[in-house]
Amino acid sequence: MIELFKILSNEHRIQILTWLKHPHDHFAAEDIEPEVKDYGVCMSVIQRKAGISQSTASAYLSSMVNCGLLKSVREGQWTYYKRNEEKIRELAEYIKGTL
Amino acid sequence: MIELFKILSNEHRIQILTWLKHPHDHFAAEDIEPEVKDYGVCMSVIQRKAGISQSTASAYLSSMVNCGLLKSVREGQWTYYKRNEEKIRELAEYIKGTL
DNA sequence: CTATCATATCTATATTTCCCGAAATATCAA
DNA sequence: TTGATATTTCGGGAAATATAGATATGATAG
């Protein structure tokens, strides 16, 4: 849980999380993998939009996957990221119930 | 909000917050100010229980007041701390709704 | 007034985080 | 194979944070 809060203590990471909540409101349609595949958005697209270096984007996104906030799928040379809604719900429950 | 997550990124501070949720389960009755006064628990008591230095306790608690998680009342030489339930509810709502 | 207790603040140092560029790796296409 | 693109890993400097000890302030008891 502590780890989760650390990850959320950064403007860019929060932003990425909210962008991915409604990808179609924030990314061009061609930058979002088809609903059927449910792949989300790939790193370079997120990186450009966030205005951070690729190494930083990579580190951010993998830390978000590690703590369970995001899920990723590698497809060829691309890695697609999308939210893990369950984890986010869990976090809200924890704050409401336990904290 | 970012600030809030930073504050929550620390084991001791999370612990203090949960202790203060049900003070009677975690502190001696005489260390809790009367319900009527609704003052909560004073710093030195929290500090001893947390096993941190006095200066650290002071910094933790005032940072928690600053970000709205706690409320404090100074009474003579003591400062009593209690939770700001509204802020905590707001946080859960933010995560559930906006994030 | 003096001593003492509770708290706040100041100073200093160790640790962590932020975030980049460069290099390495992976994949695909020609 | 060569080249282009996507991603990951490595190394590190700057900035922020953590946290202790020393000191200051303020209240209270004797």
Side-chain angles (χ1 to χ4, degrees):
Chain A
M1 200 54 64
I2 298 286
E3 199 49 40
L4 220 54
F5 286 128
K6 274 187 193 157
I7 299 298
L8 293 172
S9 303
N10 177 284
E11 196 69 54
H12 286 128
R13 290 188 296 256
I14 289 279
Q15 195 138 66
I16 290 168
L17 210 54
T18 59
W19 286 339
L20 291 177
K21 184 171 191 178
H22 303 296
H24 288 284
D25 294 350
H26 301 284
F27 298 97
E30 69 266 26
D31 285 339
I32 305 169
E33 276 302 293
E35 302 289 338
V36 190
K37 285 191 167 181
D38 195 28
Y39 277 177
V41 183
C42 83
M43 211 199 60
S44 55
V45 170
I46 296 172
Q47 178 240 315
R48 261 191 307 279
K49 187 171 175 70
I52 54 184
S53 75
Q54 60 181 171
S55 60
T56 300
S58 176
Y60 282 3
L61 289 170
S62 66
S63 74
M64 292 170 82
V65 169
N66 282 339
C67 77
L69 284 171
L70 298 182
K71 294 175 186 174
S72 68
V73 179
R74 176 103 189 203
E75 176 96 345
Q77 70 229 86
W78 295 279
T79 306
Y80 298 98
Y81 293 90
K82 62 172 182 170
R83 289 163 50 112
N84 180 4
E85 298 295 348
E86 197 186 326
K87 189 74 176 185
I88 295 165
R89 213 177 315 117
E90 271 175 35
L91 176 62
E93 295 304 320
Y94 167 77
I95 291 171
K96 188 162 246 166
T98 309
L99 191 66
Chain B
M1 202 53 65
I2 298 286
E3 199 50 40
L4 220 55
F5 286 128
K6 275 188 192 155
I7 299 298
L8 293 173
S9 303
N10 176 285
E11 195 70 55
H12 286 127
R13 289 188 295 255
I14 289 279
Q15 195 137 67
I16 290 168
L17 210 54
T18 59
W19 287 339
L20 291 177
K21 184 171 193 179
H22 302 297
H24 288 283
D25 294 350
H26 301 285
F27 298 97
E30 68 267 26
D31 284 340
I32 304 169
E33 276 302 293
E35 302 288 338
V36 190
K37 286 191 166 179
D38 196 27
Y39 277 176
V41 182
C42 83
M43 213 197 59
S44 55
V45 170
I46 295 171
Q47 180 239 315
R48 262 192 306 280
K49 187 172 175 69
I52 55 185
S53 75
Q54 188 268 323
S55 61
T56 299
S58 178
Y60 281 3
L61 289 170
S62 67
S63 74
M64 292 170 84
V65 169
N66 283 339
C67 78
L69 284 172
L70 297 182
K71 295 176 183 173
S72 68
V73 180
R74 176 99 188 207
E75 175 98 345
Q77 71 231 82
W78 295 279
T79 305
Y80 298 100
Y81 294 91
K82 62 172 182 169
R83 288 162 53 111
N84 180 5
E85 298 295 348
E86 197 187 325
K87 190 73 177 187
I88 294 165
R89 213 176 317 116
E90 272 175 34
L91 177 62
E93 293 305 318
Y94 167 78
I95 292 170
K96 188 162 246 166
T98 308
L99 191 66

